Amino acid sequence: LESLLMAADWWTEIAQAGGVDPGYLRSGRLQPIPDNRALHNARARIAESQTLWQGRADWRVIPATGAAWEPHSPTGWLIHDTLTARLSPRHACAALAAAIRAQGGEVTVGTATPEGPTLWATGYAGLVDLSQTFNQPVGAGVKGQALLLQHDARDLPQLFADALHIVPHADGTTAIGSTSENTWTDPTATDAQLDDI
């Protein structure tokens, strides 16, 4: 949560340091609500989100209007959260590299023999290596923006429906990708709490 809440200021500083726009925007997200149970759960999370998100973002249940950008929702209701942000992977990497170089750092792609403090950006493969090293999951590749379209929806929220993400970017493109994050269980929840979900 802290990372999500500090991201706007952080990416603004990165853009100012290197002069390259990372394409960050806390644009929010719309998500269809598939059935009445999910609708009940979504409404129950409204108060919880106000506490967890410290009043700095909202989780709303809003009526679907049939607007062109909305995903179809079988119940006629949508989740609209204002915490979700978009970031262009290519532009973010370029912005970070520009900021590092502007501060006197060096960015090397490929093999290198580092001198001094070094940050290794190894992507998904690095998460696999860390998981094996620590013998526990550290992270996994679960999201990807696999298709990029020339569709300018830059001021609209992301859409998330049935593990499919539609992400409008600042450069007038729209990315479509997917995720394997279909469920999440609170590791501190008791069996009785899980039965209530």
Side-chain angles (χ1 to χ4, degrees):
L1 177 64
E2 288 180 29
S3 292
L4 292 170
L5 291 174
M6 70 180 274
D9 291 340
W10 194 82
W11 283 109
T12 297
E13 289 177 22
I14 293 297
Q16 290 170 348
V20 176
D21 181 6
Y24 176 88
L25 178 67
R26 207 166 104 183
S27 55
R29 176 174 64 180
L30 293 175
Q31 181 175 340
I33 301 176
D35 56 45
N36 287 333
R37 181 175 186 211
L39 178 59
H40 172 78
N41 289 341
R43 286 179 171 150
R45 290 188 178 112
I46 293 171
E48 180 185 10
S49 72
Q50 290 171 345
T51 300
L52 290 175
W53 295 351
Q54 306 163 7
R56 297 169 67 188
D58 293 315
W59 171 284
R60 302 175 182 136
V61 175
I62 62 172
T65 65
W69 188 249
E70 287 181 0
H72 170 71
S73 183
T75 59
W77 293 92
L78 299 166
I79 295 168
H80 178 218
D81 86 69
T82 62
L83 182 62
T84 297
R86 62 116 195 268
L87 185 66
S88 168
R90 288 180 190 271
H91 293 188
C93 287
L96 284 169
I100 289 168
R101 288 182 179 117
Q103 299 297 314
E106 180 183 349
V107 177
T108 303
V109 178
T111 57
T113 304
E115 295 178 19
T118 303
L119 172 67
W120 295 94
T122 57
Y124 168 71
L127 294 174
V128 172
D129 290 343
L130 285 172
S131 296
Q132 291 172 350
T133 299
F134 293 112
N135 199 29
Q136 67 179 17
V138 172
V142 295
K143 295 181 182 172
Q145 297 181 23
L147 179 65
L148 193 61
L149 305 173
Q150 282 297 132
H151 178 73
D152 192 346
R154 71 183 76 199
D155 297 323
L156 297 174
Q158 286 185 46
L159 304 180
F160 178 69
D162 197 22
L164 187 70
H165 285 269
I166 301 174
V167 185
H169 285 301
D171 63 1
T173 61
T174 296
I176 299 177
S178 62
T179 177
S180 60
E181 295 177 298
N182 294 325
T183 59
W184 179 81
T185 302
D186 181 347
T188 64
T190 65
D191 289 340
Q193 288 172 319
L194 293 174
D195 288 341
D196 290 338
I197 295 176

